[in-house]
Amino acid sequence: MKIFLDTADLDEIRRAADANLIDGITTNPSLVAKVAGKRDPKEIYLEICEAVDGPVSLEVVGLDRDTMVSEGKKLAAIHENAVVKVPLTEDGLKACRALVSAGTPVNVTLCFSVSQALLAAKAGATFVSPFVGRIDDVSGEGMQLIHQIRQVYDNYGFDTQILAASIRHPMHVVESMLMGSDCCTIPPKVLWQLSKHPLTDRGLEAFLSDWEGLGAKI
Ligand code: G3P
């Protein structure tokens, strides 16, 4: 499963990219607003695209088809790694079709149902982003959506990649893998949690204390 980092924070991106643990980045207007301050987001987008060797999702903020397509073309022109993110609305689907037909990869975001995911695939989306955590937030079963989309996409041979998003904790990542999600976009905090296990810490402690007894060096 491909791992994307869900952030616009360059320090976090470089930390994960240095460890070669990520296959790409996803951003959204809220994540950009957290880091941009007075800077032009397009400058930040270029730095992010140069920091990773993989797809970087950059979101439009227009609401009608034509505005989304023109913003999408500007975002795509920033760097070859750019993937244009559009919302799963009627205009978003139309913009998706137009951009994909022009050769621009598109990530259709804010997906909350399998019927929405069907339309994203039929609009030619490269990625679809079902928001698992936000469904859990309203007492729904976010992972059930991943399961349904996987089943429908496999039933009809859609090649849109499922990008599990709005990830809250490591079990969302584990379940996404077990359900066959193609990608998962993870906040930095959760990415580093994935590396943690108390038995690893305890085992290392025991090894080192046993070795210390030797007073030997490698
Ligand atoms: O970037 C898209 C998505 O992963 C954000 O989800 O719910 O953490 O804001 P959330």
Side-chain angles (χ1 to χ4, degrees):
M1 180 175 77
K2 293 188 202 120
I3 292 183
F4 293 174
L5 203 63
D6 202 17
T7 185
D9 182 326
L10 263 160
D11 296 337
E12 289 287 0
I13 291 170
R14 291 193 175 118
R15 180 183 172 203
D18 289 352
N20 216 352
L21 289 175
I22 53 174
D23 305 291
I25 302 290
T26 59
T27 69
N28 66 45
S30 306
L31 292 171
V32 176
K34 277 191 192 148
V35 299
K38 296 234 173 309
R39 296 189 63 201
D40 177 350
K42 289 198 283 303
E43 280 175 27
I44 297 171
Y45 290 157
L46 180 57
E47 288 173 3
I48 294 174
C49 288
E50 289 170 344
V52 292
D53 183 15
V56 176
S57 288
L58 309 174
E59 192 160 341
V60 300
V61 291
L63 290 173
D64 64 275
R65 176 201 176 282
D66 296 348
T67 310
M68 289 189 212
V69 172
S70 87
E71 289 175 352
K73 287 183 177 157
K74 290 180 195 151
L75 291 172
I78 290 174
H79 193 278
E80 61 182 0
N81 290 347
V83 171
V84 177
K85 224 177 174 184
V86 299
L88 216 157
T89 61
E90 180 181 342
D91 281 83
L93 292 167
K94 290 175 182 168
C96 173
R97 171 54 68 197
L99 289 163
V100 166
S101 309
T104 299
V106 173
N107 175 358
V108 178
T109 188
L110 291 166
C111 173
F112 293 97
S113 74
V114 68
S115 41
Q116 283 185 310
L118 170 67
L119 296 184
K122 292 186 80 69
T126 317
F127 300 98
V128 66
S129 292
F131 278 37
V132 172
R134 295 192 190 187
I135 294 173
D136 291 0
D137 293 348
V138 292
S139 311
E141 273 195 72
M143 290 316 302
Q144 190 52 25
L145 177 55
I146 303 294
H147 176 63
Q148 289 179 335
I149 298 174
R150 181 75 282 159
Q151 203 175 334
V152 168
Y153 281 11
D154 292 352
N155 285 353
Y156 303 101
F158 289 118
D159 52 20
T160 296
Q161 296 180 58
I162 303 172
L163 201 177
S166 182
I167 298 297
R168 296 274 186 278
H169 46 71
M171 274 315 289
H172 274 160
V173 181
V174 172
E175 289 168 351
S176 295
M177 285 190 281
L178 295 175
M179 288 183 181
S181 188
D182 303 286
C183 327
C184 191
T185 190
I186 308 175
K189 175 174 157 278
V190 177
L191 176 72
W192 300 113
Q193 277 180 296
L194 296 177
S195 67
K196 303 265 178 262
H197 196 293
L199 291 180
T200 305
D201 301 341
R202 215 182 303 159
L204 188 55
E205 220 175 284
F207 284 162
L208 297 183
S209 92
D210 294 345
W211 180 265
E212 217 172 292
L214 288 179
K217 286 203 177 321
I218 293 179

